[in-house]
Structure formats: structure tokens, C-alpha cells
Amino acid sequence: RSQSSAAASSAGTGGAGGHTSARVSSAPVLTAPVVKAPRRPGRAWTPVARVGGRSAAWIAQRSSVTLLRFDQRLAHLALHAGSREPGGHGWTYGDRIGTSEVHQVLAAFNGGFKLSHSSVGFMADGRVAVPLAAGLGSIVTYQNGMTQIGAWHAGVPAAGLKVVSVLQNLHLLVDRGVAALTVENCVLACWGATVGGGSEVARTALGIRGDGQLVWAAGEHLSPAMIAQALIGAGAVRAVQLDINPYWIAGYLYSHHPGGPTAVPVVPGQFGIPGRYLAPHGRDFFTILAN
């Protein structure tokens, strides 16, 4: 799908208020996106996906951090409900990449902490699996297809826009382009218990830039400070940490073929998710889909 120049302009309203009025066109995807991951990404942003002939996603590898950047004028985020968390049936986006997405998917990556954690929230399709809490870092997708990131009731949701999904996980990792004060001195208590008790573990996060582009960051040996600084270096003004520890984090790009997409891992050394989100998965996760 394509968007008007007005939508493209408003996609860049990524200020502290988190408001956006850009809309995603309802025109169908005529051709599958072209997705190709480089064998050895470097520090510079390298295009990895094209939608309608335009670059929609980029990858970079900076030190021990993998970064994926997505243009919301050409691709949008979808929150999936896992078979166990939150469980149940009837979700628009369920426990695998579905038939409505299979020819649109650019990328997929893990969601947040287990829904039994004290500082999470989950809402999709008007159904609240875990109540949303004021102040938590929130990844908010609106009916117009745009996603914003901010603190709940302190920047998001935007007034006048219908919310279709929210994933909350802890407090903001990055706010106004600055890392949270706790990333150095409150690693385990503030940012999650780790396998083995160390501060540098497999860790993921999702941020938003001032121009409205989304940035996903991940690595196998990262502290909260390291991943926060990588996102800030990539232009993120706000960010939410997602899941941590090696067995629950993964990111994939999807190359397209007549028989369906093939998942390509993007994080060096990642343990990976069985089925690579093309088969049923028990936890929530995100896909990035061509507009």
C-alpha cells in the first residue's frame, strides 16, 4: 500500500507528546515486499526490505547490537497474542504469522516479559488480557496503523485516535533521548532478573525516532545501559525494553518465495524461537507488515 505526502509528513511527529495523525492507506498489497538480509551488516544502515520499490527497512550492526529500523509510512507493527500468553481465541493477530500476513511480513521479533510480571500490560482488539497501568512504558498502535511509544497517560495514547493494541513493559528505557537513570545502578531489580544473575545478557528493546521510524535493538550480551545507548545512537527518543535472556529473544527477516516466506535470523548467536513465528508460539510477539 502507499500513503499520501500528508501522511508521510505527519509520520515524523515523534516528539515527547507521542501524537501522530498519519493514516495507513487501505489499498491492498499488490506484490510481496522484497526482503534480503546482508550476510555481514556493518555500522552503516543497509536497506533490507523494499515495499512498492521504496526502502522500508534497514539493518545495522554496531558493536554487539543488532539494529533494525522501519519506516512507518511503508510498514506497520502488529502485536500478536501467544497461545498461552495471553491465550484464548479470536485475536486478529494470533500465535503465528497468519495467512493475512504471510505475503506482507518483513520482520518479526519477541514481545515483552511474561504476563505474570508485575509491570506489564496487554490489550488488543478491545480485549484487555492484563490491565494497563499509568506510567508504564507502552507500545501503542492506533487504528490508523501508526505506532507510538511513550509512558501511558503521560504522552500516550494520543487524543482522538482509536487504540487497537498496547503492550506495556516496565518503565521507559529511553525518554526524550536520554537513558533511564536506573540503567547503571538498578539492573536486576529495575530491568529484570537474568539467567545466571549477570547484567549483560540477551536483551531486546523497541524505540521510536523523532521522525516516527521504529528501531528494534537486540544482542546476546547487553546491559540495560548498552542497549539504551545503542538506541539513542540510532536516533531513538523513547524506547521500551522488551524481553531478556537467551531463550526468549529473537528477531527475523522474511524473504519471500512462491511457497511462502523463509525466516532469516538477524541476531548473531541468538538461540532462536522454535518455528520462527511461522508456527504456533506460546508468547506474545510483534510482526512488521508492508502497508
Side-chain angles (χ1 to χ4, degrees):
R1 288 179 284 183
S2 62
Q3 293 177 298
S4 69
S5 59
S9 175
S10 58
T13 56
H19 293 195
T20 178
S21 58
R23 301 189 64 84
V24 173
S25 167
S26 60
V29 174
L30 299 180
T31 59
V34 177
V35 182
K36 186 176 181 180
R39 291 186 178 181
R40 293 183 179 179
R43 287 188 56 82
W45 291 109
T46 301
V48 290
R50 296 178 68 83
V51 174
R54 300 167 62 189
S55 293
W58 299 259
I59 193 170
Q61 186 77 37
R62 299 177 180 177
S63 298
S64 55
V65 184
T66 297
L67 298 162
L68 289 174
R69 178 162 60 91
F70 305 102
D71 188 341
Q72 290 201 77
R73 297 172 298 178
L74 299 171
H76 62 279
L77 186 80
L79 173 62
H80 283 249
S83 60
R84 296 189 304 274
E85 295 191 28
H89 301 282
W91 302 98
T92 298
Y93 297 104
D95 62 4
R96 73 195 82 179
I97 295 171
T99 55
S100 65
E101 304 170 89
V102 72
H103 298 300
Q104 292 178 276
V105 64
L106 307 182
F109 46 85
N110 58 273
F113 285 0
K114 290 179 69 67
L115 296 183
S116 57
H117 193 277
S118 60
S119 297
V120 303
F122 186 103
M123 186 278 279
D125 303 331
R127 298 163 62 180
V128 177
V130 179
L132 305 179
L136 291 186
S138 303
I139 300 166
V140 182
T141 299
Y142 301 103
Q143 190 175 47
N144 65 16
M146 300 302 295
T147 293
Q148 259 296 348
I149 294 174
W152 191 247
H153 293 323
V156 293
L161 294 183
K162 182 177 180 180
V163 173
V164 296
S165 71
V166 181
L167 183 71
Q168 296 185 322
N169 205 61
L170 308 176
H171 291 84
L172 288 176
L173 177 69
V174 175
D175 191 13
R176 295 177 176 86
V178 178
L181 295 176
T182 54
V183 294
E184 297 278 7
N185 57 14
C186 186
V187 173
L188 300 184
C190 297
W191 300 102
T194 64
V195 173
S199 61
E200 297 182 10
V201 297
R203 200 176 295 271
T204 57
L206 184 68
I208 191 165
R209 295 167 26 129
D211 60 7
Q213 294 190 1
L214 299 174
V215 183
W216 180 75
E220 288 296 300
H221 304 284
L222 299 177
S223 68
M226 291 165 68
I227 198 168
Q229 289 304 321
L231 283 163
I232 293 166
V237 292
R238 292 179 303 283
V240 169
Q241 181 184 270
L242 297 174
D243 212 354
I244 62 175
N245 292 312
Y247 305 111
W248 302 289
I249 78 152
Y252 300 96
L253 291 167
Y254 294 84
S255 59
H256 289 264
H257 313 282
T262 298
V264 180
V266 295
V267 180
Q270 71 177 25
F271 185 83
I273 300 296
R276 299 184 174 188
Y277 300 122
L278 293 166
H281 183 56
R283 302 278 300 279
D284 54 78
F285 65 96
F286 291 101
T287 51
I288 300 287
L289 307 172
N291 288 348

